[in-house]
Amino acid sequence: MAKGAKQILIIVCTLAWVMVLWAFFSSSVPSLEGYWLDIIGMLIMMVVVALFPIHVKGTNISLIQGISLAVFLHFGLLVELVLVQVTIVASMIRLKYPLYRIGSSSIMFMIVSASAALVYYLLGGEVGGLAMNEYPKILPVIGYSLTAILTNHIILYLLRRYIYQESSSLFDKDFLWEMFLESFILPVGITFYILYSQLGTTAILFVGIPFVVISLFMNMYHSSQKINHLLKFTSKIGQELTESLKVDEILDIYLNRITRMLKVDHAYILDIKDTTQLRVIRKYESKKAQNVNLPYLFKGEGISGKVWESGHSLRFTARHQWRKYSKGHLPMISQSVLSVPMIRNHEVVGVITFASNQKKAYDKAHVMILEILSNYLAVAIDKAKNYEATKNKSERCHLTNLYNYRYFEDMLSEMYVNYEKSHEPFSLILLDIDHFKRVNDTYGHQSGNIVLCQVADRLVEIIGKYGTVARYGGEEFVIVLPNMDHEESLDFAEAIREDISITPFTIKNDLGDMRIKRIRLTVSIGVSTAPLQGEDPLTLIRNADRAMYTGAKQQGRNKVASYSG
């Protein structure tokens, strides 16, 4: 809402309040003599039940409507209007709503109260106390109640539709649920009115104390149930995190579950790099997790940096509270922010920051739950990193960082299994560096190792996403090309051979003058394609090896040969 519109709304609300209070003190005081303590007691009841509503299936049920109905039936519109307004202001101040929101709600409930009272009078209703064995007219009371519900619902509908530009229907599930609840609250209000008419102040004690106690206990029960539910969900998430051994999968599970549990529009998982910087390793936005490359944060810098520095969580309920700390990662549309440290072995190893576009989206219970989950995440990530490091050592060549022969064998066997389902051909390229012994003998074994690493990097660059490169052994490399037939793989192999032969490699002469040298290499290549040239992994490798030696090595080297057996 624009600033000018907010100011106008506040002025209108203030004028309406002045008019209501003037009418209250000018016309109602004589009839209220001797009732002030009762009215104050009813006001206290209304405020308490408004501050501590009963929660049923995600809906707040407040008995304020029943009390306000009794107040209206006995004291009339002005008294009911003042008490409802004071109750609204008290509850909204407790929830820290801005002044213009308090003003808009105040005017809305004024309209609701006035409309309901008008219908009540038109249907022949009267206000005042009841004589002994006298009962209120039911039709006007029902008219009053239905008018209040309809007026409130129509105003909310118009606000959502034309002010907030939200699509909604006039008579939706919320309206039906409100009507259902009113069928229970209406008898409560009538009963309170009858008791007060017969018993006076004593009725306030008989009804008010149970109202207040029920509201307080039900609110406490709901809070404990909410925490128990969150703890159960937390335990389930923690179990899922510890079951995975892949870092990316763990991050995806965590974000997926958390964004279903809380109101999260933006999320950032940050990892500490080299003990000096925080880097974002995963970002959640627009209902999708993504890898990102955002600027590093230092200790004490930004919201996440402050959490890293202090080791304690930070929670903000509105934008103005965190704006001065942010370094620009959080979108300005965000309101609520919750940032918690990831702690392992009493040391902060990362930070998780959540943001919601709604105010007051996170409470203290969420802080507790997310601190537990962040520690689960820290342990799971550390476990996955150790596993991946161990797995990487067992699957990778320590010199070239290519996959080793063991990994290559497992992958090839799996491809044959998948072929039974897809029936897509795949090819294998076996490559050997020509005269590699000369490199070792001329420039030294260290230079030879450098050449092997450069060839490996060149192959990975050429192959890219089309296949997988592995070190077969010594100066031999193997390339697996999924979904590629024999002709395509021969063309691919020729491109590899040509690239290596025309682009020189740079080494240092360890056995001579130690100067940088640029040398040229050639390779011999053998190609075989499954299943026609190999019905199993061993046969496919053997046939590619035969093609390389008989068709390329023995024919002068620097050639590509195909198995033809």
Side-chain angles (χ1 to χ4, degrees), residues 303-359:
I303 297 172
S304 301
K306 289 188 176 298
V307 171
W308 177 20
E309 183 179 50
S310 66
H312 300 291
S313 301
L314 287 176
R315 179 172 64 97
F316 304 99
T317 58
R319 184 187 306 117
H320 69 273
Q321 297 176 346
W322 57 261
R323 288 183 64 173
K324 59 185 177 182
Y325 303 117
S326 176
K327 293 297 293 183
H329 289 177
L330 284 175
M332 291 308 296
I333 193 175
S334 302
Q335 289 286 353
S336 304
V337 173
L338 176 56
S339 186
V340 297
M342 296 166 55
I343 298 177
R344 182 174 54 81
N345 297 331
H346 307 289
E347 181 181 353
V348 178
V349 295
V351 176
I352 306 168
T353 299
F354 299 97
S356 171
N357 297 341
Q358 297 182 22
K359 291 183 178 181

Side-chain angles (χ1 to χ4, degrees), residues 423-487:
H423 298 288
E424 289 287 342
F426 56 91
S427 297
L428 186 145
I429 294 175
L430 193 60
L431 176 151
D432 183 86
I433 302 175
D434 295 329
H435 303 298
F436 182 71
K437 187 174 182 299
R438 290 183 189 173
V439 176
N440 286 332
D441 293 343
T442 305
Y443 303 106
H445 286 278
Q446 183 60 36
S447 295
N449 288 340
I450 292 174
V451 167
L452 290 174
C453 292
Q454 291 183 9
V455 170
D457 293 340
R458 185 82 61 83
L459 291 175
V460 171
E461 182 180 350
I462 296 170
I463 299 303
K465 63 181 181 181
Y466 293 101
T468 302
V469 185
R471 188 179 180 192
Y472 191 69
E475 64 270 24
E476 291 184 326
F477 300 86
V478 65
I479 302 164
V480 180
L481 302 170
N483 304 324
M484 192 172 290
D485 61 28
H486 198 60
E487 293 301 323

Side-chain angles (χ1 to χ4, degrees), residues 350-391:
V351 176
I352 306 168
T353 299
F354 299 97
S356 171
N357 297 341
Q358 297 182 22
K359 291 183 178 181
K360 306 177 185 69
Y362 311 121
D363 56 31
K364 292 181 180 179
H366 294 141
V367 177
M368 177 188 70
I369 295 301
L370 289 176
E371 285 178 345
I372 295 172
L373 280 175
S374 68
N375 295 337
Y376 273 133
L377 182 62
V379 172
I381 288 176
D382 184 63
K383 177 182 175 183
K385 283 182 176 179
N386 290 333
Y387 172 79
E388 288 179 353
T390 303
K391 187 171 181 287

